[in-house]
Amino acid sequence: MPELPEVETVRRILEQEIIGRQIIGVTFYDFPGVIGEMDPHTFRAMVTGQTLGCPERRGKYLSIPMSEDLALVIHLRMTGRVLVVPRDAVPVRFEHLAIHLDSGHDLRFADQRKFGRVLCLDADTARFALARLGPEPLERGFSVRQLTRIASRRKSPIKNVLLDQRVVAGLGNIYVDEALFRARINPFTPAGTLTEEDQRRLVRAIRHVLRAALLNQGTTFSSFENPYGEQGRNADFLQIYSKGKAGQRCARCNSELVWTKLGGRGTSFCPRCQPSPTA
Ligand SMILES: [Zn+2]
């Protein structure tokens, strides 16, 4: 499911396609719940006539500022997809919403699982909601010191701490498993027991796996596609994510990888490169 690199890939394309465009209409399909609690007539009345500003990303959220102090806040969740297509393109599968732009294109939202949302919020509400997220891992605010401060107080496994969006924004199951493998840290390690050297390697590893995935325009494992309907290329470069499930061997040491559950989530690691904290 989409994490920071996938959402940023979407943002970069939207930046090319929608800035300065005016919304001239909205079409709903079978699931108006895609806009949350708001009534579809209200949504249509609020967004029609609005001019779109530069899309921003915070964690796994997209926020598109509109004129009149409003913002469209988009969360892809598990299977949400944002598309930019010509107005006359036939609706894609699971399409719930088409926002018609004066460029002759539509900004569309499709979602098989229906957990994703496209919300119309006033700009202050949007800012306030997104301010609760932790620092951006690719920006300066995310540092070894900052991670240490949070992790040292936690007894929970480091994997769960990294998945907490208030600790660091934008990581999910794929890039947490990849970063822990790269940093040679077992996902079950209690966060508070990591050494300063562990933390340093971890911060470097997180940045590395995210940057590499961004260069490859995201990971398509099941459903992710960019707004042009193209898949990301990063799946070919994953070292560990879900590979233990298929009984594959570690690319570094050739040990058989382990697949298990941690906090209800599938988790892969190498028992030799990432030794158990109790071993
Ligand atoms: Zn290994």
Side-chain angles (χ1 to χ4, degrees), residues 118-129:
V118 180
L119 304 178
C120 175
L121 302 175
D122 70 77
D124 282 342
T125 306
R127 254 193 302 276
F128 182 74

Side-chain angles (χ1 to χ4, degrees), residues 80-252:
R81 286 189 298 147
V82 171
L83 295 143
V84 175
V85 292
R87 170 91 24 88
D88 56 6
V90 290
V92 296
R93 257 185 115 195
F94 311 115
E95 185 169 320
H96 304 309
L97 178 68
I99 295 174
H100 312 304
L101 306 178
D102 64 355
S103 58
H105 283 72
D106 283 351
L107 179 63
R108 299 188 183 178
F109 191 80
D111 189 359
Q112 180 179 6
R113 302 283 297 270
K114 299 186 180 175
F115 291 118
R117 291 292 178 268
V118 180
L119 304 178
C120 175
L121 302 175
D122 70 77
D124 282 342
T125 306
R127 254 193 302 276
F128 182 74
L130 299 178
R132 286 180 299 191
L133 296 169
E136 288 291 325
L138 294 179
E139 288 175 14
R140 296 183 77 102
F142 182 62
S143 62
V144 177
R145 188 188 300 169
Q146 191 263 348
L147 181 65
T148 307
R149 199 172 57 228
I150 294 160
S152 62
R153 295 196 302 258
R154 304 263 187 120
K155 291 191 182 114
S156 41
I158 182 64
K159 173 162 179 175
N160 290 349
V161 171
L162 294 176
L163 288 172
D164 182 344
Q165 300 300 300
R166 293 164 302 179
V167 172
V168 51
L171 295 179
N173 218 24
I174 297 176
Y175 299 109
V176 167
D177 275 11
E178 292 294 314
L180 288 170
F181 174 72
R182 189 173 173 83
R184 303 186 186 217
I185 295 170
N186 187 284
F188 288 86
T189 311
T193 66
L194 292 179
T195 65
E196 219 181 299
E197 176 49 31
D198 289 336
Q199 313 255 7
R200 219 187 315 276
R201 279 201 322 278
L202 184 53
V203 166
R204 272 203 304 266
I206 289 169
R207 290 192 165 134
H208 178 93
V209 298
L210 293 176
R211 287 205 183 101
L214 261 173
L215 281 174
N216 291 321
Q217 295 177 42
T219 299
T220 298
F221 219 73
S222 51
S223 64
F224 173 71
E225 286 178 2
N226 74 16
Y228 300 142
E230 299 159 344
Q231 303 198 334
R233 300 183 307 269
N234 199 57
D236 295 341
F237 300 93
L238 297 178
Q239 301 273 306
I240 190 89
Y241 175 71
S242 122
K243 287 202 163 162
K245 200 174 188 176
Q248 294 190 41
R249 290 184 173 273
C250 175
R252 199 189 275 141

